[in-house]
Coordinates of all heavy atoms in Angstrom, one line a residue:
L1024 N 43.4 33.6 -96.7 CA 44.8 33.7 -97.2 C 45.7 34.2 -96.1 O 46.9 33.7 -96.0 CB 44.8 34.7 -98.4 CG 46.2 34.9 -99.0 CD1 46.8 33.6 -99.6 CD2 46.1 36.0 -100.1
L1025 N 45.3 35.1 -95.3 CA 46.1 35.6 -94.2 C 46.4 34.4 -93.2 O 47.5 34.4 -92.6 CB 45.4 36.7 -93.5 CG 45.3 38.0 -94.3 CD1 44.6 39.1 -93.5 CD2 46.7 38.6 -94.6
I1026 N 45.4 33.5 -93.0 CA 45.7 32.4 -92.1 C 46.7 31.4 -92.7 O 47.5 30.9 -92.0 CB 44.3 31.7 -91.8 CG1 43.4 32.6 -91.1 CG2 44.6 30.4 -91.1 CD1 42.0 32.0 -90.9
L1027 N 46.6 31.3 -94.0 CA 47.5 30.3 -94.7 C 48.9 30.9 -95.0 O 49.8 30.2 -95.3 CB 46.9 29.8 -96.0 CG 45.5 29.0 -95.8 CD1 45.0 28.6 -97.2 CD2 45.8 27.8 -95.0
L1028 N 49.0 32.2 -95.0 CA 50.2 32.9 -95.5 C 51.4 32.5 -94.7 O 52.5 32.2 -95.4 CB 50.0 34.4 -95.4 CG 51.1 35.2 -96.1 CD1 51.2 34.9 -97.6 CD2 50.8 36.7 -95.9
P1029 N 51.4 32.4 -93.4 CA 52.7 31.9 -92.7 C 53.1 30.5 -93.0 O 54.3 30.2 -92.9 CB 52.3 32.1 -91.2 CG 51.1 33.0 -91.2 CD 50.4 32.8 -92.5
F1030 N 52.1 29.7 -93.6 CA 52.4 28.3 -93.8 C 53.0 28.1 -95.2 O 53.2 27.0 -95.6 CB 51.2 27.5 -93.6 CG 50.7 27.6 -92.2 CD1 49.8 28.6 -91.8 CD2 51.1 26.6 -91.3 CE1 49.4 28.6 -90.5 CE2 50.7 26.7 -90.0 CZ 49.8 27.7 -89.6
F1031 N 53.3 29.2 -95.9 CA 54.1 29.1 -97.1 C 55.6 28.9 -96.7 O 56.4 28.7 -97.6 CB 53.9 30.3 -98.0 CG 52.6 30.3 -98.7 CD1 51.5 30.8 -98.2 CD2 52.5 29.7 -100.0 CE1 50.3 30.8 -98.8 CE2 51.3 29.6 -100.6 CZ 50.2 30.2 -100.1
V1032 N 55.9 29.2 -95.5 CA 57.3 29.0 -95.0 C 57.5 27.6 -94.5 O 56.5 26.9 -94.1 CB 57.6 30.0 -93.8 CG1 59.0 29.9 -93.3 CG2 57.3 31.4 -94.2
S1033 N 58.7 27.1 -94.6 CA 59.0 25.7 -94.2 C 58.5 25.4 -92.8 O 58.6 26.2 -91.9 CB 60.5 25.5 -94.3 OG 60.8 24.2 -93.7
F1034 N 58.0 24.2 -92.6 CA 57.6 23.7 -91.3 C 58.6 23.8 -90.3 O 58.4 24.2 -89.1 CB 57.1 22.2 -91.5 CG 56.5 21.6 -90.2 CD1 55.1 21.7 -90.0 CD2 57.2 21.0 -89.3 CE1 54.5 21.2 -88.9 CE2 56.6 20.4 -88.2 CZ 55.3 20.5 -88.0
V1035 N 59.9 23.4 -90.6 CA 61.0 23.4 -89.7 C 61.3 24.8 -89.3 O 61.6 25.2 -88.1 CB 62.2 22.7 -90.2 CG1 63.4 22.8 -89.3 CG2 61.8 21.2 -90.5
I1036 N 61.4 25.7 -90.3 CA 61.7 27.1 -90.0 C 60.7 27.8 -89.0 O 61.1 28.5 -88.1 CB 61.8 27.9 -91.3 CG1 63.0 27.4 -92.1 CG2 62.0 29.4 -91.0 CD1 63.1 28.1 -93.5
R1037 N 59.4 27.5 -89.2 CA 58.4 28.1 -88.4 C 58.6 27.5 -86.9 O 58.4 28.2 -86.0 CB 57.0 27.7 -88.9 CG 56.6 28.6 -90.1 CD 55.2 28.4 -90.5 NE 55.1 27.2 -91.3 CZ 54.4 26.1 -90.9 NH1 53.9 26.0 -89.7 NH2 54.3 25.0 -91.7
T1038 N 58.9 26.3 -86.8 CA 59.1 25.7 -85.5 C 60.4 26.3 -84.8 O 60.4 26.5 -83.6 CB 59.3 24.1 -85.6 OG1 58.2 23.6 -86.3 CG2 59.3 23.5 -84.2
V1039 N 61.4 26.5 -85.6 CA 62.6 27.1 -85.0 C 62.3 28.6 -84.5 O 62.8 29.0 -83.5 CB 63.8 27.1 -86.0 CG1 64.9 28.0 -85.6 CG2 64.2 25.7 -86.3
Q1040 N 61.5 29.3 -85.3 CA 61.1 30.6 -84.8 C 60.3 30.5 -83.5 O 60.5 31.4 -82.6 CB 60.2 31.3 -85.9 CG 60.9 31.6 -87.2 CD 62.1 32.5 -87.0 OE1 62.0 33.4 -86.2 NE2 63.1 32.2 -87.7
W1041 N 59.5 29.5 -83.3 CA 58.9 29.3 -82.0 C 60.0 29.1 -80.9 O 59.8 29.5 -79.7 CB 57.9 28.2 -82.0 CG 56.6 28.6 -82.3 CD1 56.0 28.7 -83.6 CD2 55.6 29.0 -81.4 NE1 54.7 29.1 -83.5 CE2 54.4 29.3 -82.2 CE3 55.5 29.1 -80.0 CZ2 53.2 29.8 -81.6 CZ3 54.3 29.6 -79.4 CH2 53.2 29.9 -80.2
Q1042 N 61.1 28.5 -81.2 CA 62.1 28.3 -80.3 C 62.7 29.6 -79.8 O 63.0 29.8 -78.7 CB 63.2 27.4 -80.9 CG 64.3 27.0 -79.9 CD 65.4 26.1 -80.6 OE1 65.7 26.3 -81.7 NE2 65.9 25.1 -79.9
F1043 N 62.9 30.5 -80.8 CA 63.4 31.9 -80.5 C 62.4 32.6 -79.6 O 62.8 33.4 -78.7 CB 63.7 32.6 -81.7 CG 64.8 32.1 -82.5 CD1 64.9 32.1 -83.9 CD2 65.9 31.5 -81.9 CE1 65.9 31.6 -84.6 CE2 67.0 31.0 -82.6 CZ 67.0 31.0 -84.0
I1044 N 61.1 32.5 -79.9 CA 60.1 33.2 -79.2 C 60.0 32.8 -77.8 O 59.8 33.6 -76.8 CB 58.7 33.1 -79.9 CG1 58.7 33.8 -81.3 CG2 57.6 33.7 -79.0 CD1 57.5 33.6 -82.1
L1045 N 60.0 31.5 -77.5 CA 59.9 30.9 -76.2 C 61.2 30.7 -75.5 O 61.2 30.1 -74.3 CB 59.2 29.5 -76.3 CG 57.8 29.5 -77.0 CD1 57.3 28.1 -77.1 CD2 56.8 30.4 -76.2
A1046 N 62.3 31.2 -76.0 CA 63.6 31.1 -75.3 C 63.6 31.9 -74.0 O 62.8 32.8 -73.8 CB 64.7 31.6 -76.2
D1047 N 64.4 31.5 -73.1 CA 64.5 32.1 -71.8 C 64.8 33.6 -71.9 O 64.3 34.4 -71.1 CB 65.5 31.5 -70.9 CG 65.1 30.0 -70.5 OD1 63.9 29.7 -70.7 OD2 66.0 29.2 -70.1
T1048 N 65.6 34.0 -72.9 CA 65.9 35.4 -73.1 C 65.3 35.9 -74.4 O 65.9 36.8 -75.0 CB 67.5 35.6 -73.1 OG1 68.0 34.7 -74.2 CG2 68.1 35.2 -71.8
G1049 N 64.2 35.3 -74.8 CA 63.6 35.7 -76.1 C 62.8 37.0 -76.0 O 62.9 37.7 -75.0
I1050 N 62.1 37.3 -77.0 CA 61.4 38.6 -77.1 C 60.2 38.7 -76.1 O 59.7 39.8 -75.9 CB 60.9 38.8 -78.6 CG1 59.9 37.7 -79.0 CG2 62.1 38.9 -79.5 CD1 59.3 38.0 -80.3
I1051 N 59.8 37.6 -75.6 CA 58.7 37.6 -74.6 C 59.2 37.5 -73.2 O 58.9 38.4 -72.4 CB 57.7 36.5 -74.9 CG1 57.0 36.7 -76.3 CG2 56.6 36.4 -73.9 CD1 56.1 35.6 -76.7
F1052 N 59.9 36.5 -72.9 CA 60.3 36.2 -71.5 C 61.5 37.0 -71.1 O 61.7 37.3 -69.9 CB 60.6 34.7 -71.3 CG 59.4 33.9 -71.6 CD1 59.4 33.0 -72.6 CD2 58.2 34.0 -70.8 CE1 58.3 32.2 -72.9 CE2 57.1 33.2 -71.1 CZ 57.1 32.3 -72.1
G1053 N 62.4 37.4 -72.1 CA 63.5 38.2 -71.7 C 63.2 39.6 -71.1 O 63.6 39.9 -70.0
P1054 N 62.3 40.4 -71.7 CA 61.9 41.7 -71.1 C 61.2 41.5 -69.8 O 61.4 42.3 -68.8 CB 61.0 42.3 -72.1 CG 61.5 41.7 -73.4 CD 61.9 40.3 -73.1
L1055 N 60.3 40.4 -69.7 CA 59.6 40.2 -68.4 C 60.6 39.9 -67.3 O 60.3 40.3 -66.1 CB 58.6 39.1 -68.6 CG 57.4 39.4 -69.6 CD1 56.6 38.1 -69.7 CD2 56.6 40.6 -69.1
K1056 N 61.6 39.1 -67.6 CA 62.6 38.8 -66.5 C 63.4 40.0 -66.2 O 63.8 40.2 -65.0 CB 63.5 37.7 -67.0 CG 62.9 36.3 -67.1 CD 63.9 35.2 -67.5 CE 63.2 33.9 -67.6 NZ 64.1 32.8 -68.0
N1057 N 63.7 40.9 -67.1 CA 64.5 42.1 -66.8 C 63.7 43.0 -66.0 O 64.2 43.8 -65.2 CB 64.9 42.8 -68.2 CG 65.9 41.9 -68.9 OD1 66.7 41.1 -68.4 ND2 65.9 42.1 -70.3
L1058 N 62.3 43.0 -66.2 CA 61.5 43.9 -65.3 C 61.2 43.3 -64.0 O 60.5 43.9 -63.1 CB 60.2 44.2 -66.1 CG 60.3 45.0 -67.4 CD1 58.9 45.1 -68.1 CD2 60.8 46.4 -67.1
G1059 N 61.6 42.1 -63.7 CA 61.4 41.4 -62.5 C 60.0 40.8 -62.4 O 59.6 40.3 -61.3
L1060 N 59.3 40.7 -63.5 CA 57.9 40.1 -63.4 C 58.0 38.6 -63.4 O 57.0 37.9 -63.1 CB 57.1 40.6 -64.6 CG 56.9 42.1 -64.7 CD1 56.1 42.5 -65.9 CD2 56.1 42.6 -63.4
L1061 N 59.1 38.0 -63.9 CA 59.3 36.6 -63.9 C 60.7 36.3 -63.2 O 61.6 37.1 -63.3 CB 59.3 36.0 -65.3 CG 58.0 36.1 -66.1 CD1 58.2 35.5 -67.5 CD2 56.9 35.3 -65.3
S1062 N 60.8 35.1 -62.6 CA 62.0 34.8 -62.0 C 63.1 34.4 -63.0 O 62.7 34.0 -64.2 CB 61.8 33.6 -61.0 OG 61.4 32.4 -61.7
K1063 N 64.3 34.4 -62.7 CA 65.4 34.1 -63.6 C 65.3 32.6 -64.0 O 65.8 32.2 -65.1 CB 66.7 34.5 -63.1 CG 66.9 35.9 -62.8 CD 66.9 36.7 -64.1 CE 67.1 38.2 -63.8 NZ 67.1 39.0 -65.1
N1064 N 64.8 31.8 -63.2 CA 64.8 30.3 -63.4 C 63.5 29.9 -64.2 O 63.4 28.7 -64.6 CB 64.8 29.6 -62.1 CG 66.0 29.8 -61.3 OD1 67.1 30.0 -61.9 ND2 65.9 29.8 -60.0
F1065 N 62.7 30.8 -64.5 CA 61.5 30.5 -65.3 C 61.8 30.2 -66.8 O 62.6 30.9 -67.4 CB 60.5 31.7 -65.3 CG 59.2 31.4 -66.0 CD1 58.2 30.7 -65.4 CD2 59.1 31.8 -67.4 CE1 57.0 30.5 -66.2 CE2 57.9 31.6 -68.1 CZ 56.9 30.9 -67.5
H1066 N 61.3 29.1 -67.3 CA 61.5 28.7 -68.6 C 60.4 27.9 -69.2 O 59.6 27.3 -68.4 CB 62.8 27.9 -68.8 CG 62.7 26.5 -68.1 ND1 62.9 26.3 -66.8 CD2 62.5 25.3 -68.7 CE1 62.8 25.0 -66.5 NE2 62.5 24.4 -67.6
V1067 N 60.2 28.0 -70.5 CA 59.1 27.2 -71.1 C 59.6 26.2 -72.1 O 59.0 25.1 -72.2 CB 58.2 28.2 -71.9 CG1 57.1 27.5 -72.7 CG2 57.6 29.2 -71.0
L1068 N 60.8 26.4 -72.7 CA 61.4 25.4 -73.6 C 61.6 24.1 -72.8 O 61.9 24.1 -71.6 CB 62.6 26.0 -74.2 CG 62.5 27.0 -75.3 CD1 63.8 27.5 -75.8 CD2 61.7 26.4 -76.5

């Protein structure tokens, strides 16, 4: 049930959330760039 639980949300909404996560200034790459661990030109999207 825990594996299936996120998939009760719309397919499109879940994909858009991945867009926020993988954004250049998102919750993952934004702090890493601010700490200098990644270059400013690094992007995944």
Side-chain angles (χ1 to χ4, degrees):
L1024 179 62
L1025 291 177
I1026 295 174
L1027 298 176
L1028 190 60
F1030 297 87
F1031 285 90
V1032 182
S1033 170
F1034 185 91
V1035 177
I1036 294 177
R1037 285 187 280 112
T1038 307
V1039 171
Q1040 293 302 319
W1041 268 90
Q1042 187 181 37
F1043 293 146
I1044 294 173
L1045 300 178
D1047 295 343
T1048 58
I1050 60 176
I1051 295 179
F1052 300 116
L1055 294 178
K1056 289 183 178 181
N1057 294 333
L1058 294 174
L1060 299 177
L1061 293 176
S1062 64
K1063 297 296 182 181
N1064 296 328
F1065 180 84
H1066 68 279
V1067 176
L1068 285 177

